[in-house]
Amino acid sequence: MHPQTFLDLPLSRDPDAAPLQRQLHARLKTSILGGALPAGSSLPGSRALAATLGIARNTVSAVYEQLAVEGYVIARRQGTQVAPRLHGDQKPATAPAPMLARRVAQFARPLLMHKPAALRPGEPALPQFPLAAWRRAMDVGYQGNTAALGYGDPAGEPALRAAIARYLAVARGVRCSAEQIIITEGAQEALGLCVLLLTNPGDAAWVEDPGYRGIKAAMQAGDLRMLPMRVDGHGLAATLDDWSRDMPRLVYTTPAHQYPLGPVLPVARRLQLIEAARAHGAWLIEDDYDSEFRHAGEPIAAMQGLAGDGPVLYVGTFSKTMFPALRLGFLVLPAALLAAVQAPLAAMLRGGHRHEQLAMAHFIDSGQYARHLGRMRRLYRARQQALREALASHFDVPHTVDGGHCGMHLTVRLPPAFPDQMIAAAAHAYGMAVSPLSGFSLAPTEEDNGLVIGYGNTAPELYGSLLGRLAKLARQAKPG
Ligand SMILES: Cc1ncc(COP(=O)(O)O)c(C=O)c1O
């Protein structure tokens, strides 16, 4: 038995259509998989089907042979039959609800980074990026270089690692050799590697609270027990008591510019952290994400430089200084870890995006990176000032401003009567991607109510009207 109706349908003779043999093969395969031709049913004889469809018998025979080779049908003496136990002949089961692993099912909310929006924290001035110069650097990276089409050093291109080591020594006071540098897919991969290399599931880890969401995602994925540590006007405020209470394996901190509140971690706290980590066998992650853009006073040197061969893993990124889609970051490992991590890193990393890495090395070595940073520093300094002025003149709800001496965002605190989540949600509808401050806390208090406002990628001419609108939305969100 075979359902005459659909096998009878003429094949397409349109000159653009697939060859007849391929059409017939696709039709039979779909019918078998879909259950229209159930397991064990007989296909029509090749002569009969060829006559019905007006095609050569050889064509039908070739299709039957192909289906037999693929296991859809079995050629028997009495004719060709659909093979038994294909899934199409079983009762369709209701698909179980997809179950995600617990560690990722808890991820808070989608970040929707890809939608263009004003005032987004952390986004650099994309229209001002020197695209033509970068294209030339990419040309240098590619030029005749077919060797770099192959797998590279898992730690990244030696030329880029050397360029970064030189740059970090001068600009950030980081002490390392090129061998200690691992090129990563942005800071995010570097943070994930720290978790993967140095912790076991269930280990305790400290995060700044409020703090960067990216590290929380990495720690959650590693099944760590995250402990929120308060941030005061001087950054991470851990005491020696905290160290004895629940010993962390990993401590995440942003010493040069606490994210998102902005303070600089003073040297006494840095030294205390390094000493305590040494004493307790813990590791410190120093995330130095936007310290190139210091707007007041001298640059703040990295904590890594204070530690000698201490327990500091330094994380950097080109997402802010170049552009986020470049997805280039780096991890500086303590020299003492190098031998131990070599095998796992070689197993986990493949060494790709080699031409981009070579282009980046050229961009740094030719001085273009430093020039670009200088231009951007001036631009962000002016934008930061303009945003402060617009806040004073157009954001007429009670607020205080935190940070702002570095980077590309300001944090505005609001009284609890102005709920930040509601204001941010309403602002999104007006194309503003301001972030609610409470969203950066694992245990938000009344103080963690406010808005993180980015000025990197929004032109200053817009600040007045955007902040005027934001103030209106804040008043509307206030109950009563
Ligand atoms: C604190 C912090 N670290 C790191 C990053 C950079 O992440 P990535 O290099 O993965 O783009 C950001 C970006 O917003 C950040 O705010």
Side-chain angles (χ1 to χ4, degrees), residues 122 185-188 212 252 254 259 287 289 317 319-320 327-328:
E185 171 127 345
Q188 194 60 31
Y212 182 47
Y252 169 84
T254 44
Y259 191 80
D287 182 354
Y289 62 106
T317 179
S319 287
K320 317 290 153 183
R327 302 314 301 139
L328 270 184

